[in-house]
Amino acid sequence: MSLPPSSSNRSGYTIESVRTAMDLLFSVCGQPDLGVTELARKNGLGKARAYRLLRTLEECGLVKRTEEQRFRLGHAALLVGSAATAQINLANLAAAELARVGEAVQESTQLRIREGDESVCIGSWEPNRDLRVHIVLGRRRRLGLGSNKALLAFESADEIENTLDRLYAASDMPVPREVLRARLDEARRNGYCISRGEVSEHLVSMSVPVYGKGRKPVAALNISAPAIRMSEERIRYGIEQLLEASARLSAKLGCEQVA
């Protein structure tokens, strides 16, 4: 098993040593209990280089050595696999709701999760119309910008303040901390958040949290639309659709009834 060819090699953005290390990791994944010599030969590497890369993967917990000096997946690989499974399952469960909301409002919808102090898009739906917001799977945005405030506003007070400390340590947030804090408070009171021109002056978006077991926020459902089409009535209708979809999806994730 190896990584697929990537067009990014031609763009100059690929770090070759990282890609080579990932090739080794996938080799261990597909055929465990090979030694350094076999893994080096399998990946067209010198033994010394293969050993250095494998030791780096070992330090990260992605592979481990047996007593016979053979390599198999380590505990960190289990964490990666578990997280990937959870995200894929969440995206699959959300697909029907993204389509249902999108068809009702005829605007683009997306599902975003939190990773550190960023949000990541893991699911989307787009209408068949020329003027629409194009959603990019995997696109990251900093927390606190636009409608991804829904991924922060419903956390505990301590988690919100700790996250704000980290976000504002970079000194390049586009709004003052007290302004963002007020917006988070408003979103928490309302149960949803609205972004008018925060990411783009031509964009309006609405977002609501999705809850898992223990009523913990695990994701956010979002509608993104050209501002020219979004009257206050259409915004209210979109929020209603999102809240209903969130309740259904949260129930599927084992959450108690959301108020």
Side-chain angles (χ1 to χ4, degrees):
M1 182 184 298
S2 61
L3 290 172
S6 172
S7 61
S8 61
N9 286 330
R10 297 188 298 272
S11 69
Y13 291 114
T14 296
I15 300 174
E16 192 59 37
S17 60
V18 174
R19 186 170 180 85
T20 302
M22 294 306 296
D23 282 336
L24 281 169
L25 179 62
F26 273 76
S27 293
V28 174
C29 179
Q31 193 173 355
D33 294 325
L34 295 179
V36 176
T37 301
E38 296 162 300
L39 287 166
R41 185 184 307 115
K42 187 178 178 69
N43 289 275
L45 300 172
K47 185 176 178 179
R49 187 182 183 204
Y51 181 73
R52 290 196 302 272
L53 290 170
L54 286 164
R55 282 300 304 272
T56 302
L57 292 171
E58 184 181 15
E59 289 179 5
C60 295
L62 289 168
V63 302
K64 65 178 181 179
R65 278 180 293 172
T66 66
E67 292 181 358
E68 295 78 20
Q69 298 300 303
R70 296 184 177 275
F71 290 87
R72 55 176 52 191
L73 293 178
H75 68 277
L78 180 62
L79 296 176
V80 171
S82 176
T85 298
Q87 291 182 20
I88 291 169
N89 287 344
L90 176 58
N92 287 340
L93 285 173
E97 298 299 342
L98 290 170
R100 184 182 304 193
V101 173
E103 289 170 354
V105 299
Q106 281 300 296
E107 301 292 354
S108 300
T109 59
Q110 60 181 309
L111 177 74
R112 301 189 75 88
I113 60 170
R114 178 176 179 175
E115 286 192 357
D117 293 333
E118 296 179 314
S119 72
V120 184
C121 176
I122 64 169
S124 67
W125 183 93
E126 293 185 19
N128 184 23
R129 58 195 311 179
D130 292 336
L131 181 59
R132 66 183 187 274
V133 176
H134 294 280
I135 307 298
V136 180
L137 287 175
R139 173 171 285 174
R140 294 175 175 269
R141 292 197 185 280
R142 191 162 31 165
L143 286 182
L145 301 180
S147 62
N148 70 22
K149 293 190 295 294
L151 287 167
L152 181 57
F154 301 89
E155 294 282 5
S156 68
D158 286 344
E159 175 59 24
I160 290 173
E161 293 306 323
N162 290 337
T163 302
L164 291 178
D165 286 344
R166 293 191 299 272
L167 290 174
Y168 281 91
S171 302
D172 62 347
M173 289 292 285
V175 296
R177 179 169 178 152
E178 59 272 18
V179 173
L180 176 53
R181 193 67 182 82
R183 291 175 179 173
L184 294 173
D185 290 342
E186 181 181 18
R188 194 180 189 93
R189 288 193 302 271
N190 293 336
Y192 58 84
C193 67
I194 302 173
S195 168
R196 294 179 173 88
E198 291 181 30
V199 175
S200 167
E201 62 178 322
H202 304 297
L203 176 67
V204 170
S205 59
M206 300 136 274
S207 190
V208 302
V210 175
Y211 298 94
K213 292 181 180 179
R215 295 171 62 84
K216 177 176 175 58
V218 296
L221 289 172
N222 168 276
I223 296 172
S224 299
I228 194 173
R229 281 205 296 259
M230 297 307 291
S231 64
E232 290 302 312
E233 182 178 2
R234 280 180 56 78
I235 289 173
R236 287 195 299 272
Y237 178 67
I239 291 169
E240 290 172 3
Q241 295 296 312
L242 286 171
L243 289 171
E244 292 174 5
S246 172
R248 290 188 294 265
L249 182 55
S250 296
K252 293 177 183 177
L253 295 172
C255 178
E256 302 84 353
Q257 183 175 358
V258 179

